[in-house]
């Protein structure tokens, strides 16, 4: 699952880092180091552990690790961040400081209730917190009945801070506001999302008081 930190998206499965729809290039070892630090966040990873993971059984110079850290910081513009994402503990190691979903914000997701909808002329699809995979067939898929929809077409991910749309290598493409999705793309309430030939409006629940319930899909149409 891609992880967002600031204006960057990190995807360990595709070995890619994106910034504002532009891929950030990292050497293989630099990517491996960034993946390790994100995986172990917020724990400090010692220099010895990093060397064992990145260069098992191989002697490397003392400058190799600082060079990789410098490469990552340059690629993600970390030197301009306050505080930086990568924290240096001199003589000890490094730590990634960002929590992708702080515990204090998790309550923004409502357990057991839809946390978003795709509202279209032919269907209203409830979306849950986390990953929602849409496609034509398969286990765990939100089914869309159209010949223009691929078997596993697109993924919509909703967390406490963001919602993103990602195309899964579909034949006919996924679009947000008529722009084809090539990387995980933020989507906001009211945006148009097209999956193959099926056009939807993306909707998020509106804040409610303690005595109110989340808006139903049918009531969302009035907000267009």
């Amino acid at each position: 699952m891609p992880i967002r930190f600031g204006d960057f998206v990190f995807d360990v499965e595709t070995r890619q880092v994106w910034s504002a729809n532009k891929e950030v290039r990292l050497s293989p070892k630099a990517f491996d180091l960034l993946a390790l630090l994100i995986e172990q966040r917020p724990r400090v990873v010692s220099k010895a552990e990093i060397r064992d993971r990145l260069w098992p059984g191989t002697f490397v110079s003392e400058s190799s690790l600082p060079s990789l850290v410098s490469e990552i910081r340059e690629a993600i513009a970390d030197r301009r961040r306050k505080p930086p994402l990568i924290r240096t503990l001199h003589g000890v190691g490094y730590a990634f400081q960002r929590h992708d979903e702080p515990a204090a914000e998790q309550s923004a997701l409502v357990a057991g209730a839809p946390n978003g909808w795709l509202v279209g002329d032919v269907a209203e699809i409830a979306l849950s917190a986390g990953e929602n995979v849409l496609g034509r067939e398969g286990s765990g898929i939100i089914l869309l009945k159209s010949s223009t929809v691929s078997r596993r077409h697109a993924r919509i991910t909703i967390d406490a801070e963001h919602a993103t749309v990602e195309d899964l290598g579909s034949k006919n493409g996924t679009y947000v506001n008529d722009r084809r999705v090539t990387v995980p793309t933020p989507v906001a309430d009211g945006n148009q999302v097209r999956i193959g030939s099926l056009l939807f409006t993306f909707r998020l629940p509106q804040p409610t008081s303690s005595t109110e319930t989340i808006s139903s899909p049918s009531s969302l149409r009035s907000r267009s």
Side-chain angles (χ1 to χ4, degrees):
M1 176 180 174
I3 297 174
R4 178 177 296 277
F5 48 98
D7 52 349
F8 288 83
V9 175
F10 174 85
D11 193 332
V12 69
E13 293 182 0
T14 63
R15 293 185 65 84
Q16 290 174 299
V17 180
W18 299 90
S19 173
N21 292 338
K22 182 179 179 181
E23 186 173 5
V24 175
R25 299 293 182 179
L26 288 173
S27 67
K29 288 295 185 185
F31 185 93
D32 290 343
L33 174 57
L34 180 57
L36 174 61
L37 295 178
I38 291 176
E39 171 193 326
Q40 298 295 322
R41 67 190 186 283
R43 182 176 73 86
V44 177
V45 185
S46 70
K47 293 181 179 180
E49 183 178 348
I50 294 172
R51 284 193 291 266
D52 288 343
R53 287 281 295 269
L54 267 59
W55 299 283
T58 304
F59 174 80
V60 294
S61 67
E62 289 294 326
S63 63
S64 297
L65 180 53
S67 294
L68 292 184
V69 174
S70 180
E71 179 185 343
I72 294 170
R73 284 177 169 152
E74 182 68 26
I76 67 174
D78 203 36
R79 293 185 176 88
R80 297 198 296 270
R81 300 177 190 272
K82 294 188 182 299
L85 293 171
I86 298 176
R87 181 165 62 101
T88 301
L89 281 82
H90 295 287
V92 180
Y94 302 91
F96 192 89
Q97 300 189 106
R98 165 75 177 179
H99 294 274
D100 56 288
E101 188 178 340
E105 296 175 352
Q106 291 178 2
S107 59
L109 303 177
V110 181
N115 286 276
W117 288 273
L118 290 178
V119 181
D121 291 334
V122 298
E124 293 178 336
I125 301 169
L127 304 171
S128 60
E131 295 187 357
N132 301 266
V133 178
L134 301 101
R136 195 175 66 248
E137 60 181 57
S139 176
I141 300 292
I142 297 175
L143 297 178
L144 297 176
K145 295 182 179 180
S146 172
S147 60
T148 65
V149 174
S150 298
R151 185 175 181 275
R152 285 174 56 88
H153 194 108
R155 174 165 49 218
I156 297 178
T157 303
I158 301 176
D159 63 26
E161 292 182 327
H162 306 282
T164 59
V165 175
E166 178 184 3
D167 187 76
L168 299 178
S170 69
K171 179 180 179 181
N172 294 308
T174 303
Y175 297 79
V176 173
N177 294 334
D178 292 326
R179 184 172 182 177
R180 187 158 189 166
V181 170
T182 57
V183 299
T185 300
V187 61
D189 182 72
N191 285 174
Q192 287 192 329
V193 176
R194 179 155 61 88
I195 299 172
S197 65
L198 302 181
L199 183 63
F200 300 94
T201 300
F202 178 73
R203 291 301 194 187
L204 290 171
Q206 294 298 290
T208 63
S209 69
S210 60
T211 59
E212 295 176 323
T213 58
I214 291 179
S215 304
S216 65
S218 58
S219 67
L220 294 170
R221 292 183 183 276
S222 64
R223 287 157 46 197
S224 299

